[in-house]
Amino acid sequence: GDSVTQMEGPVTLSEEAFLTINCTYTATGYPSLFWYVQYPGEGLQLLLKATKADDKGSNKGFEATYRKETTSFHLEKGSVQVSDSAVYFCALSDRGSSGSARQLTFGSGTQLTVLP
Amino acid sequence: ETGVTQTPRHLVMGMTNKKSLKCEQHLGHNAMYWYKQSAKKPLELMFVYNFKEQTENNSVPSRFSPECPNSSHLFLHLHTLQPEDSALYLCASSQEFLSGNLYNEQFFGPGTRLTVL
């Protein structure tokens, strides 16, 4: 079945440092790929997405490129801020077994802490 | 209210209690989901409802019973839970299309933090 393997955390960086969170996936079809972010005490929010190979998703300074050849969707940001401290989840979307609704398969999440 | 709301935000219950979690989406979506988020584990999909019909049940114990009376409301009825069921329960919704390869962005509620004593 589908699976997502995500870089283990926690990750601690200083403000303005470069961020990379690795994500690789296995899927039988042609999934869409997502990064979600979860701030303390809140639900998950979509950060960015890519629906086909070589697509680049971007939002709030974060970027990720759908690499079909390496089955990867690594998250990057050139200069992190304290407000970026959160848990980041990589996910893929594919049809469920019934074919009637897409399902998200999540990675285990990476805790990011940015220090001032 | 906007987006996806969940009540209660926090719930403490004994193993013999019966309680229900409520989720409401104000986005006009036609699919709703229950997820379980435990410490140090990936999010686990529990149930999927598409057009009010349950389409997925990922081997969830019968002590969890979902109900979807309409496309805007989703309930999770709980009874005789175990301490290991303590977790954050997240509801989500999305707009599903009957054909095509359109992605589905799922919108999440804030979750209900459940503690089973």
Side-chain angles (χ1 to χ4, degrees):
Chain A
D2 297 346
S3 67
V4 176
T5 301
Q6 196 173 330
M7 175 177 168
E8 295 253 349
V11 174
T12 302
L13 297 173
S14 298
E15 206 164 24
E16 299 184 2
F18 184 85
L19 169 71
T20 300
I21 301 178
N22 290 338
C23 173
T24 57
Y25 68 90
T26 58
T28 52
Y30 298 92
S32 298
L33 301 174
F34 305 83
W35 277 100
Y36 279 82
V37 58
Q38 185 177 30
Y39 298 102
E42 299 183 14
L44 277 68
Q45 302 173 28
L46 180 67
L47 181 60
L48 53 85
K49 59 185 182 287
T51 58
K52 60 183 187 298
D54 300 324
D55 267 2
K56 177 186 281 188
S58 61
N59 185 28
K60 300 180 181 179
F62 291 89
E63 293 183 341
T65 301
Y66 190 148
R67 300 288 189 199
K68 190 167 185 293
E69 64 277 11
T70 55
T71 61
S72 65
F73 193 55
H74 304 321
L75 182 68
E76 297 182 336
K77 186 175 186 182
S79 176
V80 293
Q81 305 300 311
V82 172
S83 57
D84 293 327
S85 298
V87 182
Y88 292 82
F89 294 90
C90 185
L92 69 82
S93 173
D94 206 344
R95 286 286 174 188
S97 58
S98 67
S100 63
R102 287 180 178 265
Q103 297 184 35
L104 283 175
T105 300
F106 286 88
S108 55
T110 301
Q111 172 74 57
L112 170 67
T113 301
V114 180
L115 303 175
Chain B
E1 293 279 11
T2 60
V4 181
T5 57
Q6 290 186 243
T7 53
R9 293 294 308 274
H10 301 272
L11 178 62
V12 179
M13 59 187 289
M15 289 191 285
T16 58
N17 292 156
K18 290 185 180 181
K19 296 287 184 182
S20 296
L21 310 184
K22 179 183 176 182
C23 175
E24 184 173 1
Q25 59 95 1
H26 310 267
L27 301 168
H29 289 163
N30 57 19
M32 297 186 77
Y33 311 78
W34 278 117
Y35 289 88
K36 177 183 179 182
Q37 185 178 26
S38 305
K40 302 186 186 304
K41 292 177 67 175
L43 269 76
E44 302 171 57
L45 178 65
M46 300 175 72
F47 301 104
V48 179
Y49 277 82
N50 196 21
F51 295 98
K52 300 187 299 177
E53 297 296 322
Q54 183 176 315
T55 57
E56 297 290 337
N57 176 344
N58 284 4
S59 303
V60 180
S62 59
R63 57 185 184 269
F64 295 91
S65 174
E67 179 190 1
C68 188
N70 55 61
S71 58
S72 299
H73 294 85
L74 184 65
F75 295 89
L76 188 63
H77 303 300
L78 316 171
H79 65 97
T80 59
L81 294 193
Q82 304 299 311
E84 60 264 28
D85 297 322
S86 299
L88 181 68
Y89 288 84
L90 292 165
C91 174
S93 70
S94 68
Q95 183 63 27
E96 286 301 298
F97 299 90
L98 295 179
S99 63
N101 293 318
L102 295 174
Y103 67 89
N104 72 329
E105 176 182 346
Q106 292 187 17
F107 292 79
F108 285 80
T112 295
R113 174 66 64 185
L114 174 66
T115 302
V116 181
L117 302 176

